[in-house]
Structures are given as structure tokens and as C-alpha cells.
């Protein structure tokens, strides 16, 4: 049975959307490295205003604007110094007719309503300063212009008031959002539990001993593991034998430990297709999707986990993940959908008319160079920086023709 790319995507949305929606929640420290890029599971409200208190935007002098209202270059106003307010100090009180030196981020003294930057004072620099409980302040400061109320003062809550919504559930945590959460007094964040995936490769030909005749290394496991971890997925890997009974037993045990089982290989039309043989009796669905490469596809819904079945050639496996799983993982992780770009072809290209062909390509000097279509060419895959889509019904494209191109950074 053959289906279209769109139909298979619809099937996988129906399979995985309920599973993703049922993921629970866990609480992480806001400053944990694990919090970055995770998705919030509930709305969060500020415990503190941002800023937490009214503070100075500049190093300067906190004053009453009324005390400087008559200052001019020809008739400057001179005021004695009060105590200095530094960042982290308790709030002090400004005595009428004085000015308090104030540092950036320090609490504005009670009674002050304006800040004059130190470079705007007649001296242009601070004299000797005294903080509270460190002696009696001396000296004075001279000003040659008024300073309006509110000048260089950051009121408490001007960015966000206490009790206000900081961020909605379903939002992906970015470094700047983490800063906002910490600034609003939130030290823990409830996030959606990470998806747990088991990558299961099959094939008696897979071996870590590359010297054995007829054996090849398993490149799919590390490739797909690295690819999945980009989406905040917890991954484990297993190599399973080409034995349907042993395979089925392993899958049965796995479904109690993970949410999604991703099998690679064993679903084509050969005589020893272990995945198809093991999962078909359990309700697995296998068909050919009208794409190239990656035509063989399958899936199953087990009592405790979902199963996605990708073909075994590395190019087909990765493109299957990009085409069918990546859109769902982006939605799960509140990531934006990529936007296709259009570039002219560097050379003529052909495609099977009845298949949606996905080709690797490189973009050089503003043109797309399409690479060999072979699904086994791992080195070729590693050097591709784009995917191009040739839709069903198109058999030939000519040099210079615009083609749909998707960025590929894998």
C-alpha cells in the first residue's frame, strides 16, 4: 500500500499528539542548565516587581527637584552632601536641602525625586563620600541646572508588577526568559517532562568490530541520538537482533521505560524484516510512502508507548526524522517552523514523477547544487547544508529554475 507524504504525516500526528499531550511535569531550579529550552507546564506570576525597588539609573546625586529649581550657570545652587547610597545598601532618607551621592542600582533615598549624573555637577566628579553608619558626611556639590522629577530614576515595577503574568504555559524557556523569571523572584520552574525515546537499530550486520567480514558500524544510533538531543529528548540506544521473538520481547520491556520507540531498519520487502515481522501481529502499520529516499515507513501503538519505524539506510533514516518527526518535536518544544528559501538550480535535475523526492544539496554562490540521491552515502550527507523538495508530478527541472530549499544543519 502506498500513501502520500501528507497522509503519513497526518497518521503520525494522530499517533503522537495524544502521547505528547500526556507528558507530565517536573520542577527544575530556574538556574539549572536543564531548564534552558524546556517548555513551561503552567502559567507563572511574579513574586517580586521588576525592578524590585526604585533605584538609580546613573552614578550621580539624588536630590529633591524643588531644591534645584532655580539653578542656572550664572547662579548655581550649592547643597551639602548627605549619606551615600550604594547598590545593596538599605534605603536612607534624604534631608531637605541636601543631596545624597547615589550609585547605579542603589535604592533611591526617601524624599528624593530626581538624579543628577555626577558628570553634570560643577565638579564633574565625586568628593570624599560617606555611607550610613560610617561617620558624618562632609563636603558639598554645585549644580548649574534644574533636574526634572523622575529623571534617571527606575521605579519599582516599571518593567513588571508583582503578581503580573511573567510567562504563559507552553512557552519555551530562553536565557532571557530565565533572567525575567529569576528577577521576578521565581527560583523554580515547572516544565514539561522531557520526552523519553529509545533508538533501536536492527541488523545482524551491525558490529562494533569493523574488521569482521560482512559487518558494518552502526552509524544510525549516534546520528539519531545527537539529532534527538537537539529537541531536549532523553535518549537511550539498543542494537536488537534479527530475531522476531527476541525483538518483540525487547520492545515489550522497553515500552515500560520510554514514551517513544524509534526503530531503524527491518521494514522493507526482504525476507528478514524483523521489525515488520514482530510488530505486524501487534497492530503495526507498514506501507510505502511516495517519497524518495525513505519510502518504507511504519508505526505502531503499544499499550504504553508509540513506535515509529524508519528505514535502515542512514540517509533514509535521517530524512525520515526530518520529514515526519521533526515537525512534531518542534511543536512539542515550542520552536518556530523553519521557512523555506528559494534558490536557482546550478544544473538540470530529474526526479521520479510519482514520488516526492527529497535531495541533499549544497548552496554555493547563490545556487543549489544537488547531490547524489543514494541513501547509503553518509559522507555525502554530512557535507550537505540544504534539502531540496521536488514534488510529485515533476520529473524534470532545468538549470536556473527556482527550487524549494530547506536549511539543513545536521
Amino acid at each position: 500500500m502506498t500513501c502520500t507524504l501528507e497522509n503519513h504525516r497526518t497518521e503520525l500526528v494522530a499517533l503522537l499528539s495524544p502521547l505528547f499531550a500526556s507528558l507530565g511535569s517536573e520542577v527544575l531550579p530556574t538556574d539549572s542548565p536543564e531548564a534552558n529550552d524546556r517548555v513551561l507546564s503552567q502559567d507563572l506570576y511574579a513574586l517580586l516587581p521588576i525592578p524590585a525597588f526604585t533605584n538609580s539609573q546613573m552614578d550621580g546625586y539624588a536630590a529633591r527637584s524643588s531644591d534645584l529649581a532655580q539653578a542656572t550657570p550664572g547662579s548655581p545652587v550649592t547643597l551639602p552632601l548627605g549619606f551615600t547610597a550604594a547598590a545593596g545598601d538599605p534605603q536612607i532618607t534624604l534631608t531637605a536641602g541636601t543631596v545624597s551621592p547615589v550609585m547605579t542600582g542603589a535604592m533611591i533615598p526617601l524624599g528624593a525625586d530626581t538624579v543628577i549624573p555626577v558628570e553634570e555637577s560643577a565638579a564633574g566628579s565625586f568628593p570624599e563620600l560617606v555611607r550610613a553608619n560610617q561617620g558624618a558626611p562632609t563636603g558639598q556639590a554645585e549644580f548649574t541646572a534644574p533636574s526634572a522629577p523622575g529623571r534617571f530614576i527606575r521605579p519599582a515595577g516599571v518593567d513588571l508588577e508583582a503578581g503580573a503574568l511573567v510567562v504563559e504555559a507552553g512557552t519555551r524557556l530562553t536565557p532571557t526568559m530565565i533572567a525575567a523569571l529569576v528577577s521576578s523572584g521565581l527560583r523554580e520552574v515547572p516544565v514539561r517532562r522531557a520526552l523519553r525515546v529509545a533508538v533501536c537499530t536492527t541488523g545482524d550486520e551491525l558490529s562494533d568490530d569493523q574488521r569482521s567480514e560482512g559487518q558494518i558500524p552502526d552509524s544510525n544510533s549516534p546520528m539519531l541520538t545527537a539529532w534527538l538531543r537537539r529537541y531536549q529528548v532523553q535518549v537511550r540506544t539498543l542494537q536488537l537482533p534479527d530475531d522476531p521473538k527476541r525483538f518483540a520481547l525487547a520492545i515489550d520491556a522497553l515500552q515500560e521505560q520510554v514514551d517513544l520507540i524509534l526503530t531503524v531498519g527491518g521494514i522493507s520487502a526482504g525476507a528478514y524484516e524483523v521489525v515488520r515481522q514482530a510488530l505486524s501481529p501487534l497492530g503495526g502499520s507498514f506501507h510505502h510512502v511516495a517519497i524518495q529516499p525513505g519510502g518504507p515507513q511504519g508505526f505502531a501503538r503499544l499499550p504504553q508507548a508509540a513506535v515509529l519505524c524508519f528505514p535502515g539506510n542512514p540517509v533514509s533514516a535521517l530524512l525520515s526524522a526530518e520529514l515526519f518527526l521533526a515537525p512534531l518535536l518542534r511543536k512539542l518544544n515550542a520552536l518556530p517552523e523553519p521557512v523555506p528559501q528559494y534558490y536557482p538550480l546550478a544544473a538540470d535535475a530529474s526526479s521520479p514523477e510519482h514520488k516526492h523526492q527529497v535531495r541533499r544539496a549544497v548552496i554555493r554562490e547563490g545556487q543549489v547544487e544537488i547531490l547524489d540521491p543514494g541513501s547509503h552515502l553518509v559522507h555525502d550527507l554530512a557535507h550537505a547544508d540544504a534539502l531540496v523538495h521536488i514534488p510529485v508530478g515533476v520529473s524534470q527541472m532545468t538549470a536556473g529554475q527556482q527550487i524549494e530549499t530547506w536549511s539543513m544543519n545536521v
Side-chain angles (χ1 to χ4, degrees):
M1 174 179 148
T2 299
C3 73
T4 66
L5 181 150
E6 291 76 16
N7 286 344
H8 189 60
R9 279 179 168 168
T10 300
E11 291 175 323
L12 297 191
V13 168
L15 173 73
L16 296 180
S17 292
L19 184 154
F20 290 173
S22 68
L23 293 176
S25 180
E26 62 180 328
V27 176
L28 296 175
T30 313
D31 59 358
S32 167
E34 297 297 319
N36 189 44
D37 281 333
R38 298 292 290 276
V39 176
L40 286 173
S41 57
Q42 66 184 59
D43 295 346
L44 293 179
Y45 297 86
L47 300 179
L48 299 174
I50 304 176
F53 49 84
T54 300
N55 66 88
S56 177
Q57 188 178 340
M58 303 287 286
D59 296 324
Y61 294 94
R64 298 173 188 263
S65 57
S66 57
D67 288 340
L68 301 176
Q70 306 305 315
T72 66
S75 181
V77 171
T78 301
L79 299 173
L81 298 187
F83 287 111
T84 296
D89 286 353
Q91 189 174 36
I92 61 176
T93 298
L94 177 69
T95 302
T98 69
V99 292
S100 284
V102 63
M103 305 301 127
T104 302
M107 297 184 75
I108 294 296
L110 285 172
D113 66 354
T114 192
V115 170
I116 306 94
V118 62
E119 57 268 26
E120 292 184 10
S121 66
S125 60
F126 290 118
E128 184 177 353
L129 304 180
V130 178
R131 296 162 76 174
N133 301 319
Q134 293 184 358
T138 59
Q140 57 190 22
E142 185 178 285
F143 305 95
T144 58
S147 185
R151 188 167 179 248
F152 295 120
I153 290 178
R154 298 184 287 213
V158 67
D159 186 21
L160 190 74
E161 295 181 354
L165 178 68
V166 183
V167 60
E168 295 179 339
T171 301
R172 180 175 59 93
L173 288 178
T174 61
T176 51
M177 184 55 68
I178 289 171
L181 292 171
V182 172
S183 296
S184 65
L186 295 163
R187 294 294 179 175
E188 293 183 328
V189 286
V191 296
R192 185 181 297 148
R193 178 177 64 76
L195 183 70
R196 299 171 303 191
V197 177
V199 175
C200 301
T201 51
T202 64
D204 290 338
E205 75 277 12
L206 300 179
S207 173
D208 292 331
D209 184 0
Q210 300 179 26
R211 296 169 297 176
S212 300
E213 187 175 357
Q215 303 288 297
I216 59 173
D218 175 16
S219 61
N220 281 323
S221 288
M223 175 180 69
L224 291 173
T225 295
W227 184 89
L228 285 163
R229 284 178 175 159
R230 289 184 165 189
Y231 294 99
Q232 306 302 310
V233 172
Q234 293 180 0
V235 190
R236 56 180 301 182
T237 61
L238 294 90
Q239 283 187 14
L240 299 181
D242 282 342
D243 181 319
K245 290 184 179 179
R246 293 172 61 191
F247 180 91
L249 287 173
I251 293 295
D252 186 55
L254 268 179
Q255 68 170 315
E256 299 181 2
Q257 305 167 33
V258 298
D259 308 298
L260 175 63
I261 300 169
L262 182 58
T263 70
V264 188
I267 61 172
S268 295
Y272 304 105
E273 304 298 332
V274 63
V275 177
R276 181 190 290 268
Q277 291 172 310
L279 293 181
S280 290
L282 302 178
S285 176
F286 297 90
H287 47 231
H288 195 90
V289 180
I291 58 173
Q292 188 185 50
Q297 296 289 331
F299 60 88
R301 185 67 176 98
L302 304 180
Q304 295 173 267
V307 186
L308 289 189
C309 307
F310 291 162
N313 277 316
V315 174
S316 298
L318 183 70
L319 294 190
S320 296
E322 285 282 336
L323 290 173
F324 299 119
L325 186 54
L328 293 164
L329 292 178
R330 284 194 290 267
K331 185 175 181 180
L332 176 68
N333 287 280
L335 293 167
E337 281 297 312
V339 177
Q341 303 293 321
Y342 291 85
Y343 292 93
L345 281 170
D348 294 351
S350 60
S351 176
E353 187 174 359
H354 301 294
K355 292 184 178 181
H356 183 117
Q357 191 174 60
V358 183
R359 296 280 292 273
R360 288 91 65 207
V362 293
I363 299 174
R364 292 195 180 103
E365 298 180 356
Q367 291 186 317
V368 174
E369 297 182 12
I370 296 181
L371 303 177
D372 191 288
S375 60
H376 61 294
L377 302 175
V378 184
H379 180 263
D380 186 66
L381 174 68
H383 286 78
D385 58 15
L387 295 178
V388 296
H389 289 258
I390 305 177
V392 173
V394 177
S395 60
Q396 192 69 33
M397 299 188 74
T398 58
Q401 188 173 348
Q402 296 286 319
I403 190 168
E404 180 181 330
T405 305
W406 294 78
S407 177
M408 182 180 178
N409 299 303
V410 292

